[in-house]
mmCIF file of all heavy atoms in Angstrom:
data_model
loop_
_atom_site.group_PDB
_atom_site.id
_atom_site.type_symbol
_atom_site.label_atom_id
_atom_site.label_comp_id
_atom_site.label_asym_id
_atom_site.label_seq_id
_atom_site.Cartn_x
_atom_site.Cartn_y
_atom_site.Cartn_z
ATOM 1 N N PRO A 136 -87.159 40.661 -188.641
ATOM 2 C CA PRO A 136 -86.603 39.616 -187.820
ATOM 3 C C PRO A 136 -86.688 39.891 -186.306
ATOM 4 O O PRO A 136 -86.755 38.993 -185.411
ATOM 5 C CB PRO A 136 -85.161 39.513 -188.349
ATOM 6 C CG PRO A 136 -85.241 40.052 -189.649
ATOM 7 C CD PRO A 136 -86.161 41.148 -189.657
ATOM 8 N N GLU A 137 -86.596 41.202 -185.943
ATOM 9 C CA GLU A 137 -86.705 41.600 -184.524
ATOM 10 C C GLU A 137 -88.062 41.228 -183.919
ATOM 11 O O GLU A 137 -88.200 40.755 -182.800
ATOM 12 C CB GLU A 137 -86.366 43.029 -184.354
ATOM 13 C CG GLU A 137 -84.945 43.418 -184.710
ATOM 14 C CD GLU A 137 -84.766 45.061 -184.600
ATOM 15 O OE1 GLU A 137 -85.530 45.628 -183.867
ATOM 16 O OE2 GLU A 137 -83.859 45.499 -185.245
ATOM 17 N N TRP A 138 -89.038 41.491 -184.798
ATOM 18 C CA TRP A 138 -90.433 41.160 -184.316
ATOM 19 C C TRP A 138 -90.693 39.573 -184.173
ATOM 20 O O TRP A 138 -91.204 39.225 -183.174
ATOM 21 C CB TRP A 138 -91.517 41.688 -185.349
ATOM 22 C CG TRP A 138 -91.642 43.144 -185.377
ATOM 23 C CD1 TRP A 138 -91.132 43.937 -186.297
ATOM 24 C CD2 TRP A 138 -92.253 43.948 -184.427
ATOM 25 N NE1 TRP A 138 -91.503 45.267 -186.003
ATOM 26 C CE2 TRP A 138 -92.314 45.270 -184.856
ATOM 27 C CE3 TRP A 138 -93.050 43.625 -183.260
ATOM 28 C CZ2 TRP A 138 -92.716 46.375 -184.163
ATOM 29 C CZ3 TRP A 138 -93.557 44.671 -182.549
ATOM 30 C CH2 TRP A 138 -93.518 46.045 -182.962
ATOM 31 N N ILE A 139 -90.048 38.809 -185.003
ATOM 32 C CA ILE A 139 -90.159 37.384 -184.929
ATOM 33 C C ILE A 139 -89.365 36.876 -183.705
ATOM 34 O O ILE A 139 -89.811 36.034 -182.991
ATOM 35 C CB ILE A 139 -89.643 36.801 -186.221
ATOM 36 C CG1 ILE A 139 -90.506 37.168 -187.464
ATOM 37 C CG2 ILE A 139 -89.668 35.173 -186.048
ATOM 38 C CD1 ILE A 139 -91.968 36.871 -187.327
ATOM 39 N N ALA A 140 -88.188 37.506 -183.546
ATOM 40 C CA ALA A 140 -87.296 36.987 -182.337
ATOM 41 C C ALA A 140 -88.060 37.459 -181.026
ATOM 42 O O ALA A 140 -87.887 36.702 -179.987
ATOM 43 C CB ALA A 140 -85.989 37.736 -182.457
ATOM 44 N N ALA A 141 -88.880 38.465 -181.064
ATOM 45 C CA ALA A 141 -89.669 38.843 -179.912
ATOM 46 C C ALA A 141 -90.924 37.962 -179.598
ATOM 47 O O ALA A 141 -91.328 38.034 -178.516
ATOM 48 C CB ALA A 141 -90.031 40.361 -180.097
ATOM 49 N N GLY A 142 -91.227 37.148 -180.590
ATOM 50 C CA GLY A 142 -92.341 36.213 -180.299
ATOM 51 C C GLY A 142 -93.541 36.340 -181.262
ATOM 52 O O GLY A 142 -94.427 35.604 -181.130
ATOM 53 N N ALA A 143 -93.481 37.272 -182.207
ATOM 54 C CA ALA A 143 -94.585 37.443 -183.186
ATOM 55 C C ALA A 143 -94.502 36.149 -184.110
ATOM 56 O O ALA A 143 -93.479 35.582 -184.375
ATOM 57 C CB ALA A 143 -94.386 38.595 -184.059
ATOM 58 N N VAL A 144 -95.744 35.637 -184.469
ATOM 59 C CA VAL A 144 -95.779 34.439 -185.268
ATOM 60 C C VAL A 144 -95.520 34.785 -186.780
ATOM 61 O O VAL A 144 -95.093 33.950 -187.574
ATOM 62 C CB VAL A 144 -97.156 33.821 -185.223
ATOM 63 C CG1 VAL A 144 -97.370 33.278 -183.784
ATOM 64 C CG2 VAL A 144 -98.285 34.650 -185.612
ATOM 65 N N ALA A 145 -95.672 36.064 -187.065
ATOM 66 C CA ALA A 145 -95.443 36.487 -188.516
ATOM 67 C C ALA A 145 -95.514 37.960 -188.501
ATOM 68 O O ALA A 145 -95.843 38.652 -187.544
ATOM 69 C CB ALA A 145 -96.543 35.922 -189.440
ATOM 70 N N VAL A 146 -95.199 38.569 -189.685
ATOM 71 C CA VAL A 146 -95.395 40.029 -189.930
ATOM 72 C C VAL A 146 -96.139 40.248 -191.221
ATOM 73 O O VAL A 146 -96.017 39.449 -192.136
ATOM 74 C CB VAL A 146 -93.980 40.699 -189.853
ATOM 75 C CG1 VAL A 146 -93.268 40.740 -188.548
ATOM 76 C CG2 VAL A 146 -93.083 40.215 -190.980
ATOM 77 N N GLY A 147 -96.786 41.454 -191.315
ATOM 78 C CA GLY A 147 -97.318 41.850 -192.534
ATOM 79 C C GLY A 147 -96.550 42.980 -193.076
ATOM 80 O O GLY A 147 -96.239 43.887 -192.429
ATOM 81 N N MET A 148 -96.280 43.037 -194.351
ATOM 82 C CA MET A 148 -95.389 43.978 -194.959
ATOM 83 C C MET A 148 -96.031 44.427 -196.344
ATOM 84 O O MET A 148 -96.416 43.493 -197.138
ATOM 85 C CB MET A 148 -94.005 43.455 -195.226
ATOM 86 C CG MET A 148 -93.268 43.134 -193.971
ATOM 87 S SD MET A 148 -91.601 42.627 -194.200
ATOM 88 C CE MET A 148 -90.864 44.119 -194.879
ATOM 89 N N GLY A 149 -95.943 45.719 -196.508
ATOM 90 C CA GLY A 149 -96.473 46.296 -197.817
ATOM 91 C C GLY A 149 -95.319 46.655 -198.768
ATOM 92 O O GLY A 149 -94.526 45.911 -199.260
ATOM 93 N N SER A 150 -95.214 48.016 -198.916
ATOM 94 C CA SER A 150 -94.195 48.549 -199.883
ATOM 95 C C SER A 150 -92.740 48.191 -199.523
ATOM 96 O O SER A 150 -91.949 48.196 -200.379
ATOM 97 C CB SER A 150 -94.490 50.046 -200.101
ATOM 98 O OG SER A 150 -94.329 50.819 -198.861
ATOM 99 N N ALA A 151 -92.570 48.101 -198.210
ATOM 100 C CA ALA A 151 -91.247 47.793 -197.781
ATOM 101 C C ALA A 151 -90.701 46.423 -198.315
ATOM 102 O O ALA A 151 -89.511 46.306 -198.420
ATOM 103 C CB ALA A 151 -91.097 47.667 -196.275
ATOM 104 N N LEU A 152 -91.637 45.687 -198.756
ATOM 105 C CA LEU A 152 -91.339 44.346 -199.376
ATOM 106 C C LEU A 152 -91.418 44.450 -200.844
ATOM 107 O O LEU A 152 -90.683 43.804 -201.520
ATOM 108 C CB LEU A 152 -92.200 43.219 -198.811
ATOM 109 C CG LEU A 152 -92.027 41.832 -199.223
ATOM 110 C CD1 LEU A 152 -90.645 41.341 -198.961
ATOM 111 C CD2 LEU A 152 -93.058 40.888 -198.654
ATOM 112 N N SER A 153 -92.427 45.178 -201.340
ATOM 113 C CA SER A 153 -92.616 45.121 -202.804
ATOM 114 C C SER A 153 -92.072 46.135 -203.746
ATOM 115 O O SER A 153 -92.297 46.062 -204.904
ATOM 116 C CB SER A 153 -94.162 45.086 -202.906
ATOM 117 O OG SER A 153 -94.727 46.282 -202.519
ATOM 118 N N GLU A 154 -91.522 47.189 -203.157
ATOM 119 C CA GLU A 154 -90.915 48.207 -203.953
ATOM 120 C C GLU A 154 -89.783 47.798 -204.774
ATOM 121 O O GLU A 154 -88.856 46.970 -204.326
ATOM 122 C CB GLU A 154 -90.378 49.438 -203.135
ATOM 123 C CG GLU A 154 -91.640 50.271 -202.500
ATOM 124 C CD GLU A 154 -91.150 51.521 -201.788
ATOM 125 O OE1 GLU A 154 -89.910 51.501 -201.317
ATOM 126 O OE2 GLU A 154 -91.811 52.501 -201.771
ATOM 127 N N GLY A 155 -89.575 48.272 -206.057
ATOM 128 C CA GLY A 155 -88.513 47.929 -206.909
ATOM 129 C C GLY A 155 -88.930 46.950 -207.967
ATOM 130 O O GLY A 155 -90.070 46.495 -208.176
ATOM 131 N N ASP A 156 -87.916 46.670 -208.825
ATOM 132 C CA ASP A 156 -88.064 45.656 -210.002
ATOM 133 C C ASP A 156 -88.050 44.351 -209.512
ATOM 134 O O ASP A 156 -87.747 44.014 -208.293
ATOM 135 C CB ASP A 156 -87.104 45.931 -211.133
ATOM 136 C CG ASP A 156 -85.697 45.845 -210.681
ATOM 137 O OD1 ASP A 156 -85.401 45.078 -209.708
ATOM 138 O OD2 ASP A 156 -84.788 46.452 -211.233
ATOM 139 N N ARG A 157 -88.301 43.319 -210.372
ATOM 140 C CA ARG A 157 -88.433 42.023 -210.109
ATOM 141 C C ARG A 157 -87.117 41.480 -209.401
ATOM 142 O O ARG A 157 -87.187 40.703 -208.438
ATOM 143 C CB ARG A 157 -88.766 41.153 -211.296
ATOM 144 C CG ARG A 157 -90.153 41.199 -211.799
ATOM 145 C CD ARG A 157 -90.478 40.341 -213.085
ATOM 146 N NE ARG A 157 -91.748 40.339 -213.341
ATOM 147 C CZ ARG A 157 -92.716 39.459 -212.989
ATOM 148 N NH1 ARG A 157 -92.257 38.398 -212.154
ATOM 149 N NH2 ARG A 157 -93.948 39.447 -213.305
ATOM 150 N N ASP A 158 -85.914 41.798 -209.982
ATOM 151 C CA ASP A 158 -84.719 41.269 -209.339
ATOM 152 C C ASP A 158 -84.569 41.908 -207.903
ATOM 153 O O ASP A 158 -84.063 41.173 -207.036
ATOM 154 C CB ASP A 158 -83.526 41.795 -210.259
ATOM 155 C CG ASP A 158 -83.453 40.933 -211.575
ATOM 156 O OD1 ASP A 158 -84.125 39.858 -211.652
ATOM 157 O OD2 ASP A 158 -82.876 41.374 -212.515
ATOM 158 N N THR A 159 -84.869 43.087 -207.725
ATOM 159 C CA THR A 159 -84.712 43.666 -206.414
ATOM 160 C C THR A 159 -85.569 43.101 -205.459
ATOM 161 O O THR A 159 -85.195 42.662 -204.252
ATOM 162 C CB THR A 159 -85.069 45.191 -206.520
ATOM 163 O OG1 THR A 159 -84.127 45.878 -207.397
ATOM 164 C CG2 THR A 159 -84.951 45.907 -205.082
ATOM 165 N N VAL A 160 -86.902 42.852 -205.755
ATOM 166 C CA VAL A 160 -87.783 42.262 -204.835
ATOM 167 C C VAL A 160 -87.508 40.775 -204.628
ATOM 168 O O VAL A 160 -87.572 40.344 -203.506
ATOM 169 C CB VAL A 160 -89.242 42.319 -205.492
ATOM 170 C CG1 VAL A 160 -90.277 41.576 -204.579
ATOM 171 C CG2 VAL A 160 -89.668 43.861 -205.601
ATOM 172 N N ALA A 161 -86.947 40.090 -205.663
ATOM 173 C CA ALA A 161 -86.553 38.736 -205.494
ATOM 174 C C ALA A 161 -85.497 38.555 -204.435
ATOM 175 O O ALA A 161 -85.494 37.728 -203.545
ATOM 176 C CB ALA A 161 -86.270 38.053 -206.837
ATOM 177 N N LYS A 162 -84.441 39.369 -204.613
ATOM 178 C CA LYS A 162 -83.383 39.357 -203.687
ATOM 179 C C LYS A 162 -83.749 39.800 -202.213
ATOM 180 O O LYS A 162 -83.240 39.077 -201.253
ATOM 181 C CB LYS A 162 -82.224 40.283 -204.165
ATOM 182 C CG LYS A 162 -81.542 39.839 -205.456
ATOM 183 C CD LYS A 162 -80.563 40.942 -205.993
ATOM 184 C CE LYS A 162 -79.914 40.446 -207.313
ATOM 185 N NZ LYS A 162 -78.902 41.406 -207.831
ATOM 186 N N ARG A 163 -84.548 40.781 -202.197
ATOM 187 C CA ARG A 163 -85.057 41.233 -200.871
ATOM 188 C C ARG A 163 -85.879 40.157 -200.190
ATOM 189 O O ARG A 163 -85.670 39.867 -198.993
ATOM 190 C CB ARG A 163 -85.882 42.459 -201.000
ATOM 191 C CG ARG A 163 -86.378 43.049 -199.660
ATOM 192 C CD ARG A 163 -87.385 44.169 -199.946
ATOM 193 N NE ARG A 163 -86.698 45.362 -200.638
ATOM 194 C CZ ARG A 163 -87.250 45.867 -201.663
ATOM 195 N NH1 ARG A 163 -88.434 45.495 -202.197
ATOM 196 N NH2 ARG A 163 -86.585 46.892 -202.395
ATOM 197 N N ALA A 164 -86.739 39.501 -200.888
ATOM 198 C CA ALA A 164 -87.597 38.473 -200.374
ATOM 199 C C ALA A 164 -86.777 37.263 -199.965
ATOM 200 O O ALA A 164 -86.998 36.711 -198.761
ATOM 201 C CB ALA A 164 -88.667 38.002 -201.320
ATOM 202 N N ALA A 165 -85.822 36.757 -200.652
ATOM 203 C CA ALA A 165 -84.996 35.640 -200.391
ATOM 204 C C ALA A 165 -84.211 35.968 -199.127
ATOM 205 O O ALA A 165 -84.100 35.064 -198.221
ATOM 206 C CB ALA A 165 -84.107 35.315 -201.485
ATOM 207 N N ASP A 166 -83.708 37.141 -199.034
ATOM 208 C CA ASP A 166 -82.831 37.508 -197.836
ATOM 209 C C ASP A 166 -83.773 37.541 -196.543
ATOM 210 O O ASP A 166 -83.433 37.039 -195.526
ATOM 211 C CB ASP A 166 -82.185 38.831 -198.060
ATOM 212 C CG ASP A 166 -81.381 39.276 -196.860
ATOM 213 O OD1 ASP A 166 -80.445 38.669 -196.430
ATOM 214 O OD2 ASP A 166 -81.855 40.268 -196.251
ATOM 215 N N LEU A 167 -84.906 38.159 -196.678
ATOM 216 C CA LEU A 167 -85.879 38.397 -195.774
ATOM 217 C C LEU A 167 -86.436 36.968 -195.168
ATOM 218 O O LEU A 167 -86.408 36.721 -193.943
ATOM 219 C CB LEU A 167 -87.055 39.177 -196.111
ATOM 220 C CG LEU A 167 -88.212 39.355 -194.974
ATOM 221 C CD1 LEU A 167 -87.561 40.076 -193.790
ATOM 222 C CD2 LEU A 167 -89.325 40.042 -195.579
ATOM 223 N N LEU A 168 -86.659 36.126 -196.032
ATOM 224 C CA LEU A 168 -87.229 34.777 -195.595
ATOM 225 C C LEU A 168 -86.116 33.944 -194.838
ATOM 226 O O LEU A 168 -86.410 33.373 -193.897
ATOM 227 C CB LEU A 168 -87.657 33.988 -196.824
ATOM 228 C CG LEU A 168 -88.908 34.439 -197.587
ATOM 229 C CD1 LEU A 168 -89.170 33.614 -198.790
ATOM 230 C CD2 LEU A 168 -90.142 34.522 -196.711
ATOM 231 N N ALA A 169 -84.944 34.092 -195.245
ATOM 232 C CA ALA A 169 -83.884 33.452 -194.513
ATOM 233 C C ALA A 169 -83.639 33.994 -193.104
ATOM 234 O O ALA A 169 -83.457 33.249 -192.174
ATOM 235 C CB ALA A 169 -82.625 33.496 -195.322
ATOM 236 N N ARG A 170 -83.620 35.377 -193.072
ATOM 237 C CA ARG A 170 -83.461 35.970 -191.790
ATOM 238 C C ARG A 170 -84.645 35.694 -190.871
ATOM 239 O O ARG A 170 -84.537 35.597 -189.613
ATOM 240 C CB ARG A 170 -83.248 37.453 -191.918
ATOM 241 C CG ARG A 170 -81.833 37.671 -192.653
ATOM 242 C CD ARG A 170 -81.375 39.179 -192.508
ATOM 243 N NE ARG A 170 -82.295 40.022 -193.378
ATOM 244 C CZ ARG A 170 -82.960 41.018 -192.832
ATOM 245 N NH1 ARG A 170 -82.911 41.286 -191.542
ATOM 246 N NH2 ARG A 170 -83.691 41.752 -193.633
ATOM 247 N N LEU A 171 -85.867 35.545 -191.315
ATOM 248 C CA LEU A 171 -87.036 35.397 -190.446
ATOM 249 C C LEU A 171 -86.971 33.977 -189.913
ATOM 250 O O LEU A 171 -87.256 33.809 -188.742
ATOM 251 C CB LEU A 171 -88.363 35.623 -191.284
ATOM 252 C CG LEU A 171 -88.727 36.948 -191.756
ATOM 253 C CD1 LEU A 171 -89.957 36.920 -192.490
ATOM 254 C CD2 LEU A 171 -88.851 37.932 -190.480
ATOM 255 N N ALA A 172 -86.556 33.010 -190.842
ATOM 256 C CA ALA A 172 -86.389 31.575 -190.300
ATOM 257 C C ALA A 172 -85.327 31.511 -189.171
ATOM 258 O O ALA A 172 -85.537 30.840 -188.170
ATOM 259 C CB ALA A 172 -86.009 30.690 -191.444
ATOM 260 N N ASP A 173 -84.301 32.239 -189.351
ATOM 261 C CA ASP A 173 -83.181 32.200 -188.372
ATOM 262 C C ASP A 173 -83.644 32.980 -187.046
ATOM 263 O O ASP A 173 -83.099 32.677 -185.931
ATOM 264 C CB ASP A 173 -81.911 32.922 -188.853
ATOM 265 C CG ASP A 173 -81.191 32.129 -190.001
ATOM 266 O OD1 ASP A 173 -81.509 30.924 -190.058
ATOM 267 O OD2 ASP A 173 -80.480 32.660 -190.648
#
């Protein structure tokens, strides 16, 4: 979110986004998408 707030149009993310089981990744992704939009 700091990168987006600074003016980046998007970010690319690897293991920081995808590590963990399905539930963990789903919660992480939902939280991240909301914070990026904000």
Side-chain angles (χ1 to χ4, degrees):
E137 297 177 20
W138 289 106
I139 299 302
V144 295
V146 294
M148 296 180 64
S150 59
L152 182 60
S153 62
E154 283 184 338
D156 58 26
R157 282 180 176 269
D158 288 341
T159 299
V160 175
K162 292 176 182 177
R163 182 186 299 130
D166 176 68
L167 177 63
L168 292 175
R170 290 192 295 122
L171 291 180
D173 290 341

